[in-house]
Amino acid sequence: MNVIIITACPSGVATTFLAARGLERAAKQRGWNVTVEMHSQLEPVVPPGPVAIEAADLVVVAASAPVDLTRFVGKRVHQAPISEALPDPDAFLKQAELSATTLTTAAVASHPEAAPVPLARSSTEGGKKIVAVTACPTGVAHTFMAAEALTRAGQGLGHSLRVETRGSVGAQDPLTEEEIRDAEVVILAVDIEVDSSRFAGKRVWRTSTGTALKKSEQTIRDALEKAQVMAGAPGRPAAEGAGGKAAGRGGPYQHLLTGVSFMLPMVVAGGLLIALSFVFGIDAFKQEGSLAAALMRIGGGAAFKLMVPLLAGYIAYSIADRPGIAPGMIGGYLASELGAGFLGGIAAGFIAGYAARGLSRYVKLPASVESLKPILIIPLMASLVTGLVMIYVIGAPMAAIMSAVTGFLTNMNSGNAILLGVLLGAMMCFDLGGPINKAAYTFGVGLLSAGAGSYGPMAAIMAAGMVPPIGMGLASLLARNKFSEPEREAGKASLVLGLCFISEGAIPFMAKDPLRVIPISMVGGALTGALSMYFGVQLMAPHGGLFVLLIPNAVNHVLLYLLSIAAGALAVGVGYALIKTGRAELPGAAAPPRDKRWDMGAESDRAAA
C-alpha cells in the first residue's frame, strides 16, 4: 500500500521529527511504501509530487498546526493531533487505516484552514493579537521550545499568537508588517540582541527564552499588563531607556551571548576542518601542498584566527549596533595578535561597544556633517580608543592571564584535571541552558583558540551537557510505573535530544521536580566531566553531540569518551529512578476538554491532545 505521512507541530522541531521517524519506521515494518512530508523549522518542506499523490492509497496527517489538505481531495485521509502518534506509531497507523474517510471538497471548503483541533481553546472573540520573537545563543533548542511553549500558552489563554524563531539557520516564519501593525503587544523572548527597530511605537515586553519556556502563560500575562511603548520610528533604532525592561537593550551578559552566538559557527567549522585534516594522520598537515595541509590552513589558519575578532565585533554590535562592529573586530584582532585570546576579545568587544555608543549618544555635530558620524567619526574614534587601550593597557595583562590558563591546562596533574572536570560538569547540569550552563560553555569554546592543550575542557563540557536529558530518558524507561504517560513520552524525546547535545531536553523534568532532578543531574555531570578530564579526552568541535564521533579524530579517545558519558547518564538515570516518588503529570500536560472536530468530512467526538 502507498501511504503519505504528514507531521506538523507548532514549533516544527522535536515533536515533528520524532513523529515522522516513528510513523515512517512503523509503516515500513508493515510493508507499506512511504512518502513523508515533515513541516520543520530547520529545513524546507518537501511536499509529495503529483505522481506520489495520485498513487497514494492513504494519507495520514499527524498535526497540531495548520496543514493544507486541498491537494488530497478524493483520497482516503485520516487526521489526528501529533501527540496521538508518538506513544504507539503502529497502533496509530492501524487506526488510520480503519477510520480514514474520503476527503471531500465540501469538507475542505467548510474548514479552509485544514487544521486539527488545537491543544487548548483557540483565539476567542475577546482574545488579543500578540507577536513574539524567540532567539537563543546557539539557535537550536531554547529558540524553538520557547516558541512552542508560547504558542500553546497563547491558545490556552484565548489569544492569537504568532512567533518568529531566529534559529541557527536565520529567521524562520518571519513576522509581516501587517502582523506587527495589528499586534496588541510584542514579546521578545531573546537571550541575544536582535533588531527591534521594526517594533518601534509598539508595546514591547522583553524576557529570556528560559522564562518563556518555563513560565509561558505568566510571560504572556506580564506582557499584556506591563509592556511599554518602544520609542523611535519604525525602521529606525529606538532610543535607549524608553520602555525600561520592555524595550531597553540587554545587559553585559546578553551582549556576551550575542558575541558567542555569532562566533560559534566559525568555531564549529574550524574545529571540524582541523579534525578532518587529522584523518590523513596527526602530522600529515605538515606536508606542504597536501590536502591535510589545506584543511589545516582553512580551519586553524583562517577560521580559528577569525573567531576572536568575530566575538569582539558582535559583542560591540550588541551594545552599539552597526557602528560597533568595525572597532570591535579591530580590537578582537589586536587581542589575538597580542596573545590575549578570547578574554582579551571579550574586553575589546565591551570597550569598542561602549565607546561607539558613547560617541553616538553624546557627540553632537551640525546637521550638515551629522551623516559622517556613523561612517567616519564613530568608527575612527572608537577604533582608536579600543586599539590604544588594548595595546597599552589591556593586552599585556590579558595575555599573561591566558598564558597562565593555557599553561595550567597543559601541565595540570590528574587531581587538578578531575577537579576542573567536576566543576565544569556540575555547572553544565545546574540550569540546563541558563546563565551558569552558558558560562561553562563559553569558557570551553573560548579555550579552543588557545591551542591543542586546551581541547580537554570542551570535551568534558559537551559530555556533561548530554548527561541530564539522556539520564531522564533512561529513568523513564527503568521506572515506567513512576512516570505518567506524558512523562514517558517526554523521556523518549529527552533521550534523542541528549544524544544531540541539547541539554534542554531535560527541562520538563526539572520544571516539575527541581529538588530531585537538579542535584542528581549535577552528580552525573560532575562524574562525566571528571572522567573525561581524567582520561585526557580532547574534542575539536563545540557542538554536535555523539554525531561528532562520525568524523575521525574529532575526539581522540572515543571509547573512553563514550564510557564517561555512559557513566554519568547511568548515574542520573538509575539515581532518579530510585528517588522519584509517585506519578505526576508534567507542567501543561493535562489533556484539555473534549471538543468537536471534523475528520475529513466525517464529524466525530475525540479527546483533543
Side-chain angles (χ1 to χ4, degrees), residues 180-276:
I180 296 172
R181 184 184 67 243
D182 295 340
E184 176 78 15
V185 69
V186 178
I187 299 174
L188 297 180
V190 295
D191 298 322
I192 61 175
E193 193 59 44
V194 297
D195 179 18
S196 58
S197 60
R198 53 185 167 152
F199 303 124
K202 304 296 297 184
R203 295 177 63 232
V204 177
W205 179 253
R206 184 185 289 268
T207 186
S208 66
T209 55
T211 300
L213 173 59
K214 299 171 188 175
K215 301 177 181 179
S216 47
E217 290 192 1
Q218 187 61 46
T219 296
I220 294 174
R221 292 191 183 97
D222 287 344
L224 291 172
E225 295 173 6
K226 304 175 184 178
Q228 300 178 27
V229 176
M230 177 181 284
R236 296 183 180 180
E240 288 203 52
K245 179 180 178 181
R249 285 186 175 272
Y253 178 70
Q254 188 176 59
H255 301 320
L256 175 61
L257 291 185
T258 300
V260 171
S261 71
F262 280 96
M263 176 186 72
L264 190 58
M266 186 71 70
V267 182
V268 173
L272 293 178
L273 286 167
I274 293 173
L276 286 173

Side-chain angles (χ1 to χ4, degrees), residues 577-605:
L578 291 173
I579 64 176
K580 178 174 168 59
T581 58
R583 176 185 294 179
E585 299 291 330
L586 288 168
R594 293 173 64 88
D595 197 0
K596 191 82 170 177
R597 71 176 174 88
W598 64 291
D599 187 4
M600 308 308 112
E603 296 289 341
S604 62
D605 287 327

Side-chain angles (χ1 to χ4, degrees), residues 438-455:
K438 286 187 173 68
Y441 181 69
T442 302
F443 174 75
V445 170
L447 286 179
L448 291 180
S449 65
S454 303
Y455 297 146

Side-chain angles (χ1 to χ4, degrees), residues 9 67 128 169 289 312 342 435 464 467 497 501 572 575 584 599:
C9 70
V67 175
K128 305 291 186 180
V169 293
F342 82 100
V467 163
L497 294 173
F501 183 46
V572 173
D599 187 4

Side-chain angles (χ1 to χ4, degrees), residues 92-114:
F92 184 83
L93 292 178
K94 182 179 180 181
Q95 180 64 31
E97 186 179 13
L98 293 174
S99 61
T101 57
T102 301
L103 178 63
T104 64
T105 304
V108 175
S110 63
H111 297 82
E113 76 284 357

Side-chain angles (χ1 to χ4, degrees), residues 219-390:
T219 296
I220 294 174
R221 292 191 183 97
D222 287 344
L224 291 172
E225 295 173 6
K226 304 175 184 178
Q228 300 178 27
V229 176
M230 177 181 284
R236 296 183 180 180
E240 288 203 52
K245 179 180 178 181
R249 285 186 175 272
Y253 178 70
Q254 188 176 59
H255 301 320
L256 175 61
L257 291 185
T258 300
V260 171
S261 71
F262 280 96
M263 176 186 72
L264 190 58
M266 186 71 70
V267 182
V268 173
L272 293 178
L273 286 167
I274 293 173
L276 286 173
S277 75
F278 293 156
V279 172
F280 302 95
I282 297 299
D283 297 321
F285 68 92
K286 296 179 181 178
Q287 184 179 349
E288 291 293 332
S290 64
L291 179 57
L295 292 171
M296 179 61 74
R297 184 176 181 182
I298 298 170
F304 268 29
K305 284 188 177 179
L306 286 172
M307 61 179 284
V308 175
L310 271 178
L311 172 65
Y314 282 99
I315 288 174
Y317 163 76
S318 178
I319 297 170
D321 216 327
R322 289 180 61 185
I325 293 180
M329 288 193 172
I330 291 171
Y333 182 81
L334 286 171
S336 296
E337 290 292 298
L338 294 168
F342 82 100
L343 293 177
I346 292 172
F350 281 104
I351 293 168
Y354 286 115
R357 192 169 77 174
L359 289 167
S360 176
R361 179 184 298 179
Y362 298 116
V363 174
K364 306 299 180 183
L365 297 174
S368 58
V369 294
E370 182 69 22
S371 60
L372 293 177
K373 193 160 72 172
I375 61 173
L376 173 61
I377 297 173
I378 294 177
L380 172 63
M381 299 304 297
S383 298
L384 180 63
V385 170
T386 304
L388 291 175
V389 171
M390 288 302 301

